[in-house]
Amino acid sequence: MKKKKILTIADKPNEANMLKTLLEQADYMVICAYDGEEGIKKAKLAKPDVIILDIVSSEKDWYRTADALRNDLDCCMIPTIVL
């Protein structure tokens, strides 16, 4: 059976690593992005089954990233979980 692919987008390394570890233990393939622009690029290339977007950040406008994912034809059908 093929592992489900999850893209995490989080700018804080500790949170990104925690998500990655927990999801890999649950037998998912995890792709990490550390900012919104990188996340959108990786979503287009990797075609993940789910995107987990951490919007708690003092430096980035994650709402724009969420909107960009929803408005992109390559990404709009990928379920996105916002933390």
Side-chain angles (χ1 to χ4, degrees):
M1 181 190 226
K2 181 180 162 192
K3 285 186 178 185
K4 296 291 184 182
K5 196 179 333 178
I6 297 177
L7 169 64
T8 64
I9 306 173
D11 68 334
K12 296 176 185 162
N14 289 342
E15 292 174 8
N17 290 332
M18 179 189 65
L19 278 172
K20 183 175 179 16
T21 299
L22 290 171
L23 292 168
E24 286 178 341
Q25 287 176 353
D27 207 29
Y28 291 101
M29 182 188 344
V30 181
I31 302 160
C32 295
Y34 300 99
D35 64 51
E37 186 176 324
E38 178 187 14
I40 293 166
K41 288 178 185 176
K42 287 187 174 185
K44 288 180 173 201
L45 290 172
K47 305 281 193 250
D49 296 295
V50 173
I51 298 170
I52 298 177
L53 173 62
D54 180 7
I55 62 166
V56 178
S57 173
S58 59
E59 299 176 21
K60 307 288 183 192
D61 187 351
W62 293 106
Y63 296 102
R64 287 187 187 166
T65 301
D67 284 341
L69 288 167
R70 276 186 294 226
N71 292 317
D72 187 286
L73 291 176
D74 293 325
C75 303
C76 65
M77 297 304 291
I78 302 171
T80 302
I81 299 169
V82 178
L83 298 178

